Amino acid sequence: MKIERVGVVGAGQMGNGIAHVFALAGYEVLMTDVSEDALQAAVSLIGRNLDRQVAKEVITEETKAGAMARIGTTAALKDLGQTDLIIEAATERETIKTAIFEDLVPHLKPDTILTSNTSSISITRLASRTDRPEKFMGFHFMNPVPVMQLVELIRGIATDEPTFKACHDVVDRLGKTAATAEDFPAFIVNRILMPMINEAIYTLYEGVGSVKSIDTSLKLGANHPMGPLELADFIGLDTCLAIMNVLHDGLADTKYRPCPLLTKYVEAGWLGRKTKRGFYDYRGDEPVPTR
């Protein structure tokens, strides 16, 4: 399976990062989104992020120009049908992802590989809604994509060996490291990370520590680069809640029940950095704890 043309569904935080690294690695990239404004914003952001890499002498101006020239955009999902590999990076909601794959299927080449950047949803279940479960995989990048080294590769129950090898070869060409995970709720990274974040929120909810003391404790006491509440805001509290619900529903274990305080923040629309308020308020010059 020779992969040269890649389709990216979704121009948000993950989608634009995925387009960035693929274009930089020499792939032709076609990115789609329901919003034309989001597509334009994504291309502008990729340009600024590449400029940052030029300034740090990680890449040259010529390399940046080549990468930008390889990125195309379209508002029509069907236009991705002629690509060799499609990576879905839409909102972490199964109904949305399923609808995207069902809309894509009639337009695909017979050998196009379908993948999802989902951080927790069953790959086997998503694959079953397509015409090619054997050519379907989880392709989970970490955020921010241009910086983070890891990619989780998740095989569904039907994923065949050529598909797995083709995706593994892509990760190698991107200069990243693949970790193979089985198709169980939240895979490896989020199966471990999200309960830790949820427990930090319980620690806040129960009054054991303040936002600042919890984050400081984990940064200085466990040598974490970011505190768990700061990290939750960075990821998005809605995404954290969605993953905890997948763990709770999929594994039927009460240890994965989402903290009521996390639910309350999401209900308030305080989703973290992307809405300027979460466990910290980002509307001023410096983030200020909200509790």
Side-chain angles (χ1 to χ4, degrees):
M1 294 183 181
K2 189 166 177 60
I3 295 171
E4 293 299 338
R5 300 188 68 220
V6 177
V8 178
V9 182
Q13 192 174 36
M14 296 303 294
N16 74 65
I18 292 167
H20 174 143
V21 297
F22 271 90
L24 206 52
Y27 293 96
E28 295 292 328
V29 179
L30 185 59
M31 183 167 46
T32 188
D33 197 279
V34 292
S35 165
E36 285 278 10
D37 289 344
L39 286 170
Q40 292 175 18
V43 173
S44 296
L45 181 58
I46 291 168
R48 293 196 300 275
N49 287 337
L50 287 168
D51 282 337
R52 197 171 289 122
Q53 289 180 292
V54 171
K56 292 178 179 177
E57 299 184 348
V58 175
I59 62 172
T60 65
E61 279 286 359
E62 291 74 21
T63 303
K64 177 210 165 182
M68 292 300 292
R70 285 188 287 271
I71 298 172
T73 63
T74 178
L77 185 64
K78 64 182 177 63
D79 291 347
L80 271 59
Q82 295 307 300
T83 58
D84 306 314
L85 167 69
I86 293 175
I87 302 172
E88 170 275 313
T91 304
E92 189 69 357
R93 283 173 54 192
E94 188 167 346
T95 52
I96 292 173
K97 294 179 185 296
T98 298
I100 287 167
F101 289 121
E102 288 177 345
D103 288 348
L104 269 170
V105 162
H107 309 288
L108 299 176
K109 297 189 300 178
D111 57 348
T112 298
I113 294 173
L114 290 175
T115 68
S116 176
N117 184 57
T118 178
S119 51
S120 61
I121 297 168
S122 167
I123 298 303
T124 298
R125 200 161 59 236
L126 289 173
S128 72
R129 303 299 290 271
T130 75
D131 65 341
R132 60 196 66 206
E134 71 286 351
K135 293 186 185 301
F136 195 108
M137 278 199 69
F139 211 138
H140 181 214
F141 289 85
M142 307 296 123
N143 185 37
V145 180
V147 175
M148 300 295 279
Q149 182 68 19
L150 184 74
V151 180
E152 280 184 313
L153 292 179
I154 306 102
R155 301 172 77 141
I157 197 168
T159 306
D160 63 23
E161 189 61 29
T163 298
F164 173 77
K165 185 177 186 311
C167 289
H168 202 294
D169 288 346
V170 168
V171 176
D172 289 342
R173 181 169 160 184
L174 294 175
K176 295 189 182 293
T177 301
T180 306
E182 294 300 317
D183 185 23
F184 289 98
F187 320 130
I188 295 172
V189 173
N190 284 315
R191 171 74 177 264
I192 297 166
L193 176 64
M194 284 302 157
M196 183 198 77
I197 287 175
N198 194 52
E199 194 62 29
I201 300 168
Y202 265 113
T203 305
L204 177 66
Y205 176 62
E206 294 168 4
V208 178
S210 65
V211 168
K212 186 175 181 181
S213 62
I214 291 166
D215 278 351
T216 300
S217 295
L218 267 292
K219 283 192 282 190
L220 301 184
N223 205 26
H224 289 189
M226 296 173 74
L229 302 176
E230 182 185 5
L231 180 57
D233 277 356
F234 181 75
I235 294 167
L237 303 192
D238 52 339
T239 300
C240 293
L241 180 59
I243 295 169
M244 287 308 301
N245 280 327
V246 165
L247 280 166
H248 193 221
D249 296 343
L251 297 171
D253 191 326
T254 55
K255 74 179 180 180
Y256 297 115
R257 66 190 185 278
C259 179
L261 184 60
L262 173 59
T263 303
K264 191 63 64 181
Y265 269 70
V266 173
E267 287 174 346
W270 291 19
L271 308 181
R273 285 181 177 270
K274 60 187 173 185
T275 58
K276 304 295 184 186
R277 275 193 292 189
F279 292 110
Y280 292 85
D281 189 325
Y282 300 93
R283 293 173 297 175
D285 294 335
E286 294 287 332
V288 177
T290 53
R291 288 181 82 84

